[in-house]
Amino acid sequence: MTRPPDAVVVGSGPNGLAAAITLARAGMAVDVIEGAAGPGGGCRTSELTLPGFAHDDCSAVHALAAASPFFQTIDLAARGAHLTAPPAALAHPLDGGQAAAITGLPAATAASLGDPGYRRLMEPLVRDASAIAATFLAPLRTIPARPAAAARFAAAAILPAAVLARPLRTPAGRALLAGLAGHSMLPLSAPVSGGFGLFLGLLAHTTGWPVVTGGSARLTEALLAELAALGGRVETGRWIRRIEDLPPAPVIMLDVAPRALARIAGARLPAGYLRALSRVRYGPGVCKVDWAVAGPVPWTAPACRQAGTVHLGGSLAQIAASEADVAAGRHPDRPYCIVTQPCVADPGRAPAGRHTLWAYCHVPPGSTADMTGPIEAQLERFAPGFADLVLARHVRTAADIAAANPNYVGGDINGAAATLRQTLLRPVPRWNPYRTPARGIYLCSAATPPGGGVHGMCGAWAAATALRDAGLPAPAVTARPG
């Protein structure tokens, strides 16, 4: 590297690359330094099982990327990343061979559920989807462009999923909401767990839950191509242990967990801020299994065969029990599982006639337990004969995931627990959560608003802060979208 950088970004996940691109668009010379052998963080694709089977290492379904104002500033298709939606965004099978599914607008879903309460819950939110998405993906301290729509969503979103589900009249409707809310990695009795379900549900009804043709790595490649076109540079295979390991630069952006922020920049941070970082709570870990399978999963419920994502766990009460076990430090016997079957939308992920499959369940933080048995039991529950199709499998425990990616503390893939307090004050109580007390050092990871997921907005908002501090204009994406 010959030119001195104006900004150095540590970490090349979607948020780190979004920060780098935002800074480079403002004319800064940007270097990105990544500790792993390849870029992308959790947005990577590998042959984890057998040759010819492309598995997403972590993120696989990209509802948030499809809705992200940052990603809308990039011509992803021109950069080689094509978002492809399956016929059904998601399905949720129940015992007895039936399944709830989201395939269109709330009225159609409510009719298929036989549950008018679902339409009353979701239809107003879907009408305001663009305003809600803009608010959800922005820092909480900003003023919504449509305050009334944001207030209506917030009034419902703060509720626990178990409370939000009460007006729903059918087991299928309540189960569908429980499966959506389970993405929060919170007990369904916890505040804001319902908000995750509502937001992901409205995305399923609007932008959909697409996959990236060829694998999530194509999305990373698109970001890298955008950065390269702006003159940005990326170095991999270099772990940063302390701030002095970085080349001198006026702006340092850290796409790292709060724990790593304290370790890397601790010498420049005041004691009070370091104490606040030490109090950040991390959520449950995940145990993830990838399979190469000989054909489509033999789901009993036909709706599951058309869905890119399938939520396993049964009824609301059964999912609530599973998540309560995890919150109490126990491994559930019948875990709530999130399953993705990308070949439904992207058959090129596997040799002709074959499929890839991916699933994880929540486990206590740092767990070393291999949950393959309980996960496959849930698959057999709703897809008898699945085990006979397995050609190979690859397992990562929560401890394995944490070791592979230091941002996933204890196997928490969301950057920090999404509790009510940490939704409002993420990661620590500060007016601007991206700016640290050390001049020129910023946090741009999923530990900052709006939190976990492949949307790039944590990086874009952090970079906007750095640009304002430098007296430079921020690109349009960093203004309130919508």
Side-chain angles (χ1 to χ4, degrees), residues 30 72 74 96 131 150 156 201 219 305 386 427 451:
V30 182
Q72 290 166 16
I74 301 173
L219 199 59
R305 302 169 196 164
F386 165 76

Side-chain angles (χ1 to χ4, degrees), residues 5-294:
D6 300 312
V8 177
V9 180
V10 177
S12 66
N15 284 314
L17 292 176
I21 289 167
T22 303
L23 296 172
R25 285 173 175 169
M28 285 190 168
V30 182
D31 291 345
V32 178
I33 300 176
E34 166 63 49
C43 197
R44 296 183 293 126
T45 305
S46 308
E47 289 185 338
L48 297 176
T49 56
L50 296 172
F53 289 81
H55 300 274
D56 291 323
D57 289 58
C58 184
S59 60
V61 178
H62 295 286
L64 291 170
S68 167
F70 171 75
F71 278 108
Q72 290 166 16
T73 69
I74 301 173
D75 188 344
L76 293 176
R79 296 293 189 196
H82 299 268
L83 296 176
T84 305
L90 66 107
H92 188 121
L94 298 167
D95 294 315
Q98 300 302 308
I102 294 181
T103 56
L105 294 175
T109 299
S112 69
L113 297 170
D115 197 331
Y118 183 86
R119 181 175 183 175
R120 288 193 293 269
L121 177 65
M122 293 300 303
E123 203 164 59
L125 302 179
V126 169
R127 282 197 298 266
D128 292 331
S130 60
I132 292 170
T135 300
F136 193 95
L137 293 173
L140 290 176
R141 63 183 175 81
T142 52
I143 300 173
R146 293 172 57 189
R152 284 193 295 270
F153 175 73
I158 199 170
L159 296 174
V163 173
L164 199 61
R166 287 175 184 170
L168 300 179
R169 298 181 180 178
T170 64
R174 292 191 290 271
L176 182 62
L177 181 62
L180 288 163
H183 285 259
S184 69
M185 301 176 74
L186 296 169
L188 300 194
S189 58
V192 305
S193 58
F196 283 82
L198 292 179
F199 186 63
L200 291 174
L202 75 85
L203 292 182
H205 286 296
T206 53
T207 57
W209 286 16
V211 300
V212 181
T213 301
S216 294
R218 299 285 177 85
L219 199 59
T220 295
E221 291 164 6
L223 296 177
L224 293 170
E226 185 79 4
L227 180 60
L230 295 164
R233 303 180 300 196
V234 179
E235 177 185 0
T236 59
R238 181 182 170 195
W239 291 104
I240 301 301
R241 308 297 178 188
R242 53 182 188 155
I243 210 78
E244 289 76 16
D245 295 338
L246 296 172
V251 173
I252 295 172
M253 310 290 296
L254 298 175
D255 181 10
V256 301
R259 186 175 295 178
L261 170 63
R263 173 177 53 79
I264 292 170
R268 300 193 190 179
L269 298 172
Y273 185 76
L274 289 171
R275 283 195 297 271
L277 291 177
S278 72
R279 291 193 291 269
V280 172
R281 288 181 54 196
Y282 298 93
V286 302
C287 178
K288 176 176 179 283
V289 186
D290 288 273
W291 296 271
V293 291

Side-chain angles (χ1 to χ4, degrees), residues 353-409:
R354 311 293 194 180
H355 281 243
T356 62
L357 194 71
W358 171 109
Y360 70 70
C361 72
H362 301 148
V363 293
S367 168
T368 59
D370 180 346
M371 295 291 286
T372 302
I375 292 173
E376 291 193 353
Q378 290 287 56
L379 280 159
E380 284 287 335
R381 175 182 173 188
F382 299 107
F386 165 76
D388 297 333
L389 297 176
V390 173
L391 301 172
R393 61 176 60 81
H394 177 272
V395 182
R396 282 187 176 139
T397 67
D400 294 333
I401 289 169
N405 189 332
N407 277 8
Y408 297 156
V409 177

